[in-house]
Amino acid sequence: MRSLAIIKIGTSNTGVLAATDLTAPIVRRGRLVDLQDPETWNTLTQTLIDYTTILKDHGVQYGLVSGGEVVRQNRTLCQRIRELGLPLWLVSQDLEGRLTWAAVKTELPDVSTIIDVGGGSTEVVTDRLMYALPVGAAQSPHQTIWPRLDLPRGTVALVGGTAFALELMSGESHVSRTHLESLLTAILDGPTPAALLRLHATRQKLVVGGSRIIKSLLPMLGAQEFKFAHRGFMEGLWLAASLGRARFL
């Protein structure tokens, strides 16, 4: 099987993944690029050039470029990506949630709900439903009133950069509801935890925003166990590429 690459463009982070098998990536990198400010788009252009150079050096010729809310909402940004000759695949919020669900289930088959807090949006996904919420870690309000969500009571998987930070703080791959609540309280109300201080200052702010969203969702979740997913939208895109969506980079 040939190696395939994914470049995922997010509101606050742009990453690249290349693999023949998801269990053993050839390349995996990320770079903070705040795309809420159009003045940073030149930084994105250089990042994409750097990533394609890395992929060529590794002999990876096929894959996909895609992104979430920031890409869907900016035609000018899409045009810049296409001008680089990259195969941009625009996906809806619903498809983004479904691809994330597929990827998480390959890693954590027992979860019943996933919560993916991105920079510009949050997806809550079950086997039947997908809720796309228009707030993310980079723009979360201090108070959020959510629509009523019809969610199962099983284990919840947390996806994204905030989940990574929470796992780093806990030192465990899964936590109880009580433990998760204590972690969120430490981030939002206490002095900044040491594990968080080791992150880039921009990432710290994103973790605070993401934690605020997760905390506001907790009252609607009956789950008593939460797992931290290591796969998400990027890996879902890779699965789509492996099933025929890949194009020449």
Side-chain angles (χ1 to χ4, degrees):
M1 182 178 177
R2 66 187 177 189
S3 297
L4 299 173
I6 297 300
I7 297 177
K8 183 183 78 72
I9 299 169
T11 302
S12 54
N13 186 79
T14 293
V16 61
L17 165 69
T20 303
D21 182 331
L22 279 180
T23 61
I26 300 167
V27 175
R28 188 180 188 96
R29 300 189 186 183
R31 185 176 295 176
L32 288 169
V33 184
D34 180 9
L35 295 181
Q36 295 180 106
D37 180 1
E39 292 186 3
T40 66
W41 290 3
N42 288 334
T43 302
L44 174 66
T45 298
Q46 187 57 55
T47 296
L48 296 177
I49 292 171
D50 292 345
Y51 284 169
T52 53
T53 299
I54 292 168
L55 295 175
K56 287 178 182 178
D57 290 344
H58 283 83
V60 183
Q61 297 181 307
Y62 291 88
L64 287 173
V65 179
S66 191
E69 193 68 12
V70 70
V71 176
R72 286 189 288 268
Q73 297 296 326
N74 290 281
R75 292 184 179 180
T76 303
L77 183 59
C78 293
Q79 183 61 30
R80 284 199 175 203
I81 297 166
R82 291 190 175 105
E83 286 173 354
L84 293 173
L86 295 172
L88 178 63
W89 184 31
L90 291 176
V91 300
S92 66
Q93 284 185 319
D94 186 73
L95 183 54
E96 178 180 348
R98 287 291 130 211
L99 290 171
T100 303
W101 172 264
V104 172
K105 291 290 279 188
T106 65
E107 177 193 2
L108 303 171
D110 62 329
V111 300
S112 60
T113 302
I114 66 172
I115 297 176
D116 182 7
V117 182
S121 65
T122 297
E123 284 74 46
V124 181
V125 191
T126 73
D127 61 344
R128 299 181 297 108
L129 300 169
M130 204 288 289
Y131 302 93
L133 309 171
V135 291
Q139 54 183 30
S140 65
H142 285 276
Q143 290 185 333
T144 302
I145 299 175
W146 300 109
R148 182 176 177 82
L149 305 181
D150 180 20
L151 301 176
R153 294 183 63 83
T155 301
V156 172
L158 300 177
V159 184
T162 302
F164 170 80
L166 290 168
E167 182 177 16
L168 191 66
M169 288 173 60
S170 70
E172 301 174 12
S173 61
H174 63 278
V175 293
S176 67
R177 185 185 187 94
T178 301
H179 192 179
L180 176 61
E181 290 172 341
S182 69
L183 293 171
L184 296 172
T185 297
I187 292 171
L188 297 173
D189 300 328
T192 305
L196 203 56
L197 287 172
R198 291 196 288 270
L199 301 178
H200 188 282
T202 301
R203 289 196 185 278
Q204 291 182 38
K205 292 180 181 179
L206 292 170
V207 171
V208 170
S211 296
R212 190 176 292 126
I213 289 173
I214 293 171
K215 183 177 181 179
S216 69
L217 283 168
L218 276 179
M220 285 177 283
L221 301 172
Q224 297 302 311
E225 184 178 23
F226 295 79
K227 295 188 176 183
F228 302 117
H230 303 121
R231 294 181 181 178
F233 181 35
M234 180 178 283
E235 288 76 13
L237 289 167
W238 188 93
L239 292 173
S242 71
L243 292 173
R245 275 284 178 179
R247 299 292 184 267
F248 186 77
L249 293 169

